[in-house]
């Protein structure tokens, strides 16, 4: 099962290596990982999507991450009310004649053309990974020259529903 | 207490160097003993040590692996962090096995490695190795010092992290320019680790749940791990067991945490554990694990591990709870605090005399056993004899393998911190250098290094340290001319195809000892052993004893790999 996990970490050299190394050592499969600074100096936030077989394995992931000294907080936010986004840059083969056709395809996705050359154009799209997949599928027939994705980043919505069926991974359960 | 550090003479100035700061920090941490080996990248540190005079006892081992295993032995016996210094590149990589070993067995170590100067890191400079990258997965934490002003704080953090919570090794990598350059400022060494706050006190709700389960249990059993020893909770454990008549079995590393001669002691559990212990774990309805990590060598096949039990697990490391065995009552806590809370809250349960009678019956009817044809030296008998002559009071260190299991089975430990063995990683060559560290931590105690003929040959260069220091370590080579456990598995599971496990050619261990001006002796028969053993242990200096034991002897009883606790073979008929 795919889980979205966020970690607040101290921005020290080697921290990314610690975390990816740990996930690899414990045989957790990382689908995507994104890292960036937060508003607090010295603190970064990581979002990863991991594929785990069961809840016991998931509990191990969060506990092992929490054990890292540079990791301040780990949350599995999959089952919560969240906003999650990913950005993708897609470079496709395109002549001047095709440009407006492509424009028509990407518009409902609220994607934008950010670079144009003689025989290609580049599209920027943000959204949930499924939306990005859908756009990529639509653009594939034109010939994708290059594709870059940031991986998902996410956090909790400002307001959480009153009743949620959460599986707590707290030790106090 | 605080020795005055003389300023760096080699720099031609009166200023202190980064290395002097390191020495000051070590003095502040009350470090007395350092295990190490000099080299290019730590020359400034060794110069500062030289100028610090007799502030430290520096043990120069003959290989970095010897230094780190000695530090492990020191840490296990003293309970204090073992301190190691090695140079960059090969010096640092030679420590890797010991660091991994300490990580697996939760031993506090603070390891200082030299590094090439900051300006050339990443250029494949002479004797450069990415020791941060190499040790990240096998340390509790590691640091590379990027600024001399961070050094005092990092040293304090390193000692704090290594010795609190679940102990473990911490590596501090110090570039040569940091240790060599002047360091005159007043550096703040206060620290705050928001991401490291171990839970020490148990959650009262979980203690209540455990107390309630105990009050209902008809077949309770305690499994005591190294957490008892590290948490100094032996007395509390004895009180708990006696108050509620709870039988206690220990893990390999937990030996000594509960007195082996106690009427409630079942001995060691696991692959080569006792029938009584394994049967109790299999049949129990309440299993209270205190400070053990449900290692696969203990549990056997998880399907057959405590199948009908409510499992309570007390551990200071939350990640150990529920890792291998489904746990119903998790208690994240220091072992001592948890047992004390349990003693306060638990109430007498139903009478479980039948359970105890059954267990005692198993213990009396199916004890550890071996055949003893008097014409050969039988290794189990050898270990029993050593136990007898030392009154069970010696500190015993071992490598990994047959001799380790026989020591665990036949050298009954009644006190904690007497048993130094490589459990999790199973490191050959551990026992002898660990004995050096153990002897330094406990100079007045008898220290016996029980080693195999294979393992001893991996680290026997440390005989130099015995010679130099006159440390009275008694080295007992359980010499069966084979890598015994490998040979046993090849006999049992590979139809006696002894592939590269027989050591037909060996050095003359007596002459080897004598080459280091150490008393050496070879013993072939039981008679000789009975005759010489008391003298050997009465002798004040170091001794190397080459004990020729029967090669074909195997470790029993046994749970074969993939089998469950209820499928033991080799139990006394």
């Amino acid at each position: 099962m795919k889980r979205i996990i966020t970690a607040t970490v101290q921005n020290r050299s080697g921290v990314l290596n610690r975390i990816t190394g740990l996930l690899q050592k414990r045989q957790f499969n990382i689908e995507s990982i994104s890292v960036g600074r937060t508003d607090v100096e010295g603190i970064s936030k990581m979002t990863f999507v991991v594929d785990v077989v069961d809840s016991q394995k998931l509990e191990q992931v969060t506990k092992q991450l929490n054990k890292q000294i540079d990791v301040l907080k780990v949350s599995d936010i999959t089952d919560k009310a969240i906003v999650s986004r990913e950005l993708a840059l897609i470079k496709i083969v395109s002549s001047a004649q095709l440009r407006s056709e492509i424009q028509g395809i990407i518009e409902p996705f609220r994607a934008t053309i950010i670079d144009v050359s003689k025989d290609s154009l580049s599209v920027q799209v943000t959204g949930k990974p499924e939306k990005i997949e859908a756009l990529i599928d639509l653009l594939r027939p034109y010939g994708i020259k290059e594709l870059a994705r940031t991986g998902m980043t996410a956090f909790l919505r400002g307001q959480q529903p009153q009743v949620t069926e959460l599986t707590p991974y707290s030790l106090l359960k | 207490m605080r020795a005055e550090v003389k300023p760096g003479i080699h720099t031609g100035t009166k200023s202190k160097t980064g290395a002097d700061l390191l020495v000051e920090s070590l003095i502040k941490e009350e470090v007395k003993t350092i295990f190490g080996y000099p080299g290019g990248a730590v020359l400034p540190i060794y110069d500062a040590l030289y100028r610090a005079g007799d502030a430290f006892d520096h043990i120069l081992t003959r290989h970095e692996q010897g230094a780190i295993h000695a530090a492990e032995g020191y840490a296990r016996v003293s309970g204090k962090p073992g301190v190691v210094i090695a140079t960059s590149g090969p010096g640092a990589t030679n420590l890797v096995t010991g660091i991994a070993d300490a990580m697996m067995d939760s031993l506090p170590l603070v390891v200082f490695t030299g590094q090439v100067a900051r300006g050339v890191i990443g250029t494949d400079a002479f004797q450069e190795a990415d020791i941060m990258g190499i040790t990240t997965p096998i340390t509790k934490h590691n640091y590379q010092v990027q600024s001399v002003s961070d050094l005092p704080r990092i040293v304090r953090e390193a000692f704090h992290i290594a010795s609190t919570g679940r102990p473990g090794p911490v590596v501090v990598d110090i570039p040569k320019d940091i240790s060599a350059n002047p360091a005159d400022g007043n550096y703040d060494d206060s620290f705050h680790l928001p991401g490291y706050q171990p839970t020490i006190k148990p959650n009262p709700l979980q203690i209540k749940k455990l107390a309630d389960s105990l009050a209902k249990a008809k077949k309770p059993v305690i499994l005591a791990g190294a957490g008892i020893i590290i948490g100094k909770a032996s007395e509390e454990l004895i009180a708990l067991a006696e108050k509620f008549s709870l039988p206690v079995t220990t893990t390999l590393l937990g030996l000594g945490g509960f007195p082996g001669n106690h009427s409630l002691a079942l001995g060691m559990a696991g692959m080569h554990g006792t029938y009584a212990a394994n049967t109790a774990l299999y049949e129990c309805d309440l299993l209270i694990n205190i400070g053990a990590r449900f290692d696969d060598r203990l549990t056997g096949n998880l399907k057959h591990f405590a199948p009908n039990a409510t499992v309570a697990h007390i551990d200071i490391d939350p990640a150990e709870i529920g890792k291998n065995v489904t746990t119903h009552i998790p208690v994240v806590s220091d072992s001592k605090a948890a047992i004390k809370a349990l003693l306060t809250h638990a109430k007498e349960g139903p009478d479980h005399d039948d359970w105890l009678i059954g267990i005692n019956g198993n213990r009396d009817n199916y004890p550890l056993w071996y055949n003893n044809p008097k014409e050969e030296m039988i290794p189990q008998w050898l270990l029993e004899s050593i136990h007898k002559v030392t009154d069970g009071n010696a500190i015993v260190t071992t490598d990994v393998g047959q001799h380790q299991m026989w020591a665990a089975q036949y050298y009954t430990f009644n006190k904690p911190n007497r048993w130094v063995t490589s459990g999790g990683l199973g490191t050959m060559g551990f026992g002898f250098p660990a004995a050096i560290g153990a002897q330094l931590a406990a100079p007045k105690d008898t220290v016996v290094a029980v080693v195999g003929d294979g393992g001893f040959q991996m680290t026997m260069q440390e005989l130099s340290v015995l010679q130099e220091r006159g440390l009275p370590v008694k080295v007992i080579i359980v010499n069966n001319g084979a890598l015994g456990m490998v040979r046993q598995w090849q006999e049992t599971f590979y139809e006696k195809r002894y592939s590269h496990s027989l050591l037909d050619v060996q050095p003359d261990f007596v002459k080897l000892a004598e080459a280091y001006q150490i008393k050496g002796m070879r013993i072939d028969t039981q008679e000789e052993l009975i005759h010489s053993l008391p003298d050997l242990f009465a002798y004040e200096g170091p001794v190397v004893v080459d004990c020729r034991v029967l090669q074909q002897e195997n470790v029993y009883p046994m749970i074969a790999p993939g089998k469950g606790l209820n499928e033991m073979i080799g139990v006394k008929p």
Side-chain angles (χ1 to χ4, degrees):
Chain A
M1 53 184 182
K2 269 185 205 163
R3 307 296 296 187
I4 306 165
I5 294 172
T6 61
T8 315
V9 303
Q10 297 202 294
N11 188 7
R12 298 211 176 122
S13 76
V15 66
L16 186 61
N17 178 34
R18 271 177 216 288
I19 286 178
T20 51
L22 182 148
L23 293 170
Q24 189 229 356
K25 170 181 162 189
R26 304 269 171 191
Q27 304 236 299
F28 302 125
N29 204 0
I30 314 173
E31 295 251 317
S32 81
I33 186 162
S34 75
V35 197
R37 280 185 289 195
T38 64
D39 58 317
V40 185
E41 198 180 318
I43 305 288
S44 289
K45 176 129 171 189
M46 295 185 178
T47 308
F48 14 73
V49 179
V50 290
D51 200 1
V52 290
V53 282
D54 55 31
S55 60
Q56 193 189 1
K57 204 84 166 134
L58 174 67
E59 189 179 323
Q60 264 297 300
V61 183
T62 51
K63 283 175 167 177
Q64 292 294 345
L65 286 170
N66 253 320
K67 248 171 88 166
Q68 293 293 316
I69 282 151
D70 288 338
V71 174
L72 303 179
K73 190 173 182 231
V74 181
S75 321
D76 174 7
I77 59 171
T78 319
D79 299 327
K80 303 204 174 179
I82 57 171
V83 276
S84 63
R85 291 290 181 273
E86 184 180 2
L87 184 143
L89 299 176
I90 312 160
K91 190 188 286 170
I92 41 183
V93 183
S94 166
S95 58
Q97 294 90 321
L98 278 173
R99 227 169 268 158
S100 59
E101 184 181 330
I102 289 169
Q103 182 76 51
I105 290 175
I106 67 171
E107 216 200 278
F109 291 85
R110 280 187 255 175
T112 47
I113 295 174
I114 55 168
D115 181 54
V116 177
S117 74
K118 217 162 56 192
D119 54 0
S120 75
L121 62 81
S122 298
V123 175
Q124 166 194 305
V125 59
T126 56
K128 293 192 174 171
E130 305 85 64
K131 170 181 153 184
I132 290 170
E133 296 287 346
L135 181 61
I136 291 169
D137 283 347
L138 282 172
L139 293 177
R140 186 160 286 133
Y142 297 94
I144 293 178
K145 292 179 77 159
E146 210 177 334
L147 177 67
R149 298 174 68 162
T150 59
M152 187 202 288
T153 188
F155 57 37
L156 297 182
R157 285 186 183 277
Q159 196 171 358
Q160 293 292 309
Q162 287 301 306
V163 186
T164 45
E165 281 189 28
L166 299 182
T167 321
Y169 291 99
S170 144
L171 292 160
L172 314 175
K173 71 186 166 188
Chain B
M1 175 94 253
R2 189 182 287 209
E4 198 60 44
V5 178
K6 292 179 213 109
I9 42 171
H10 69 295
T11 56
T13 67
K14 286 192 174 171
S15 61
K16 275 196 300 198
T17 63
D20 291 323
L21 274 190
L22 173 65
V23 164
E24 282 179 7
S25 294
L26 293 177
I27 290 169
K28 221 172 167 182
E29 295 296 335
E30 299 181 14
V31 173
K32 292 276 185 294
T33 308
I34 296 173
F35 303 89
Y37 206 103
V42 288
L43 279 170
I45 296 174
Y46 271 82
D47 191 56
L49 288 176
Y50 185 89
R51 282 179 283 112
D54 52 11
F56 308 102
D57 186 15
H58 179 279
I59 311 298
L60 177 70
T61 54
R62 290 336 192 234
H63 188 293
E64 286 88 352
Q65 188 185 358
I68 192 135
H69 290 327
E72 290 184 82
Y74 180 87
R76 175 62 86 211
V77 170
S78 71
K80 291 186 283 196
V83 177
V84 179
I85 302 176
T87 194
S88 64
T93 56
N94 277 344
L95 299 174
V96 167
T97 303
I99 296 172
D101 191 274
M103 185 70 175
M104 288 284 257
D105 287 351
S106 308
L107 289 167
L109 294 184
V110 179
V111 179
F112 296 96
T113 51
Q115 183 55 277
V116 297
R118 277 173 299 169
V120 291
I121 290 177
T123 64
D124 302 321
F126 176 64
Q127 290 196 331
E128 181 184 1
D130 174 17
I131 204 64
M132 291 294 287
I134 292 168
T135 60
T136 295
I138 52 166
T139 49
K140 191 170 169 186
H141 198 52
N142 58 8
Y143 295 89
Q144 187 172 67
V145 183
Q146 298 292 347
S147 158
V148 73
S149 60
D150 293 338
L151 185 63
R153 173 185 56 81
I154 287 175
V155 175
R156 279 195 63 199
E157 284 185 11
F159 276 87
H160 176 72
I161 291 170
S163 56
T164 55
R166 179 181 180 179
V170 178
V171 167
V172 181
D173 195 32
I174 306 178
K176 189 175 182 183
D177 58 322
I178 297 259
S179 53
N181 287 349
D184 279 330
N186 270 330
Y187 305 117
D188 184 14
D189 67 355
S190 62
F191 67 88
H192 171 55
L193 294 166
Y196 178 68
Q197 306 289 332
T199 308
I200 294 168
K201 295 268 170 278
N203 181 320
L205 291 174
Q206 296 300 336
I207 291 291
K208 188 177 175 303
K209 250 170 103 177
L210 179 48
D212 291 348
S213 298
L214 190 58
K216 277 182 274 179
K218 297 198 177 75
K219 299 173 177 180
V221 65
I222 291 176
L223 170 66
I228 294 290
I229 294 165
I230 296 165
K232 301 187 173 63
S234 287
E235 280 177 32
E236 287 76 8
L237 176 63
I238 296 167
L240 180 72
E242 287 177 351
K243 186 169 176 188
F244 300 105
S245 304
L246 303 172
V248 178
T249 173
T250 69
T251 65
L252 173 67
L253 287 178
L255 288 171
F258 190 77
N261 60 0
H262 195 285
S263 61
L264 288 163
L266 306 180
M268 180 175 75
M271 184 173 264
H272 297 295
T274 65
Y275 180 77
N278 286 340
T279 308
L281 287 180
Y282 181 71
E283 291 175 351
C284 64
D285 67 353
L286 174 65
L287 168 58
I288 307 175
N289 170 353
I290 311 177
R293 62 182 176 87
F294 288 132
D295 173 74
D296 60 274
R297 286 297 192 268
L298 174 94
T299 61
N301 188 329
L302 287 168
K303 279 194 200 117
H304 303 291
F305 182 74
N308 305 313
T310 300
V311 176
H313 188 170
I314 299 170
D315 205 304
I316 200 159
D317 179 359
E320 286 304 338
I321 298 176
K323 185 177 80 177
N324 297 333
V325 171
T326 308
T327 301
H328 308 95
I329 309 171
V331 185
V332 181
S333 170
D334 169 66
S335 54
K336 193 173 193 145
I339 300 173
K340 275 186 170 170
L342 199 55
L343 275 167
T344 318
H345 291 98
K347 287 177 288 289
E348 203 70 50
D351 165 9
H352 55 263
D353 286 353
D354 287 352
W355 171 238
L356 291 176
I357 290 167
I359 282 176
N360 288 336
N362 285 341
R363 197 169 51 183
D364 297 342
N365 297 328
Y366 307 104
L368 295 168
W369 68 290
Y370 57 90
N371 287 322
N372 191 3
K374 300 276 184 215
E375 60 273 17
E376 299 266 13
M377 182 122 78
I378 303 301
Q380 295 94 322
W381 176 85
L382 168 65
L383 266 304
E384 266 187 342
S385 305
I386 295 169
H387 183 264
K388 216 175 283 168
V389 77
T390 56
D391 282 334
N393 285 323
I395 292 170
V396 179
T397 73
T398 75
D399 291 339
V400 65
Q402 285 188 320
H403 70 281
Q404 175 193 39
M405 288 299 118
W406 288 319
Q409 290 177 333
Y410 292 98
Y411 197 101
T412 310
F413 294 92
N414 298 323
K415 283 188 276 183
N417 302 318
R418 313 255 99 191
W419 171 234
V420 185
T421 194
S422 172
L425 198 67
T427 307
M428 286 177 72
F430 171 86
F432 174 47
I436 292 172
Q439 187 76 76
L440 286 158
K444 293 191 181 125
D445 287 298
T446 303
V447 175
V448 191
V450 177
V451 293
D453 45 313
F456 184 57
Q457 290 185 67
M458 287 196 176
T459 47
M460 64 188 178
Q461 75 283 348
E462 305 308 339
L463 284 168
S464 277
V465 179
L466 292 196
Q467 178 190 7
E468 190 181 305
R469 297 287 175 139
L471 295 172
V473 171
K474 313 297 179 218
V475 181
I476 306 287
I477 306 172
V478 183
N479 188 346
N480 55 5
L483 306 175
M485 194 59 95
V486 175
R487 195 207 59 80
Q488 176 173 343
W489 281 50
Q490 287 172 341
E491 178 188 325
T492 316
F493 305 117
Y494 295 88
E495 296 167 331
K496 300 192 179 179
R497 291 188 295 277
Y498 297 126
S499 180
H500 302 280
S501 59
L502 304 180
L503 303 177
D504 298 327
V505 177
Q506 280 186 331
D508 181 332
F509 289 112
V510 175
K511 278 192 184 153
L512 180 82
E514 284 166 1
Y516 287 95
Q517 290 160 352
I518 291 168
K519 187 182 172 99
M521 186 176 235
R522 175 175 163 161
I523 294 180
D524 291 83
T525 65
Q526 297 198 14
E527 214 169 292
E528 279 170 41
L529 188 86
I530 292 169
H531 182 249
S532 353
L533 214 50
D535 290 345
L536 287 174
F537 278 92
Y539 178 67
E540 285 181 1
V543 189
V544 175
V545 193
D546 180 7
C547 297
R548 299 300 175 106
V549 302
L550 183 65
Q551 187 179 68
Q552 286 73 32
E553 199 59 37
N554 286 340
V555 182
Y556 285 119
M558 179 178 190
I559 300 168
K563 299 287 184 182
L565 289 176
N566 55 334
E567 298 168 288
M568 294 186 80
I569 52 173
V571 177
K572 185 176 165 73

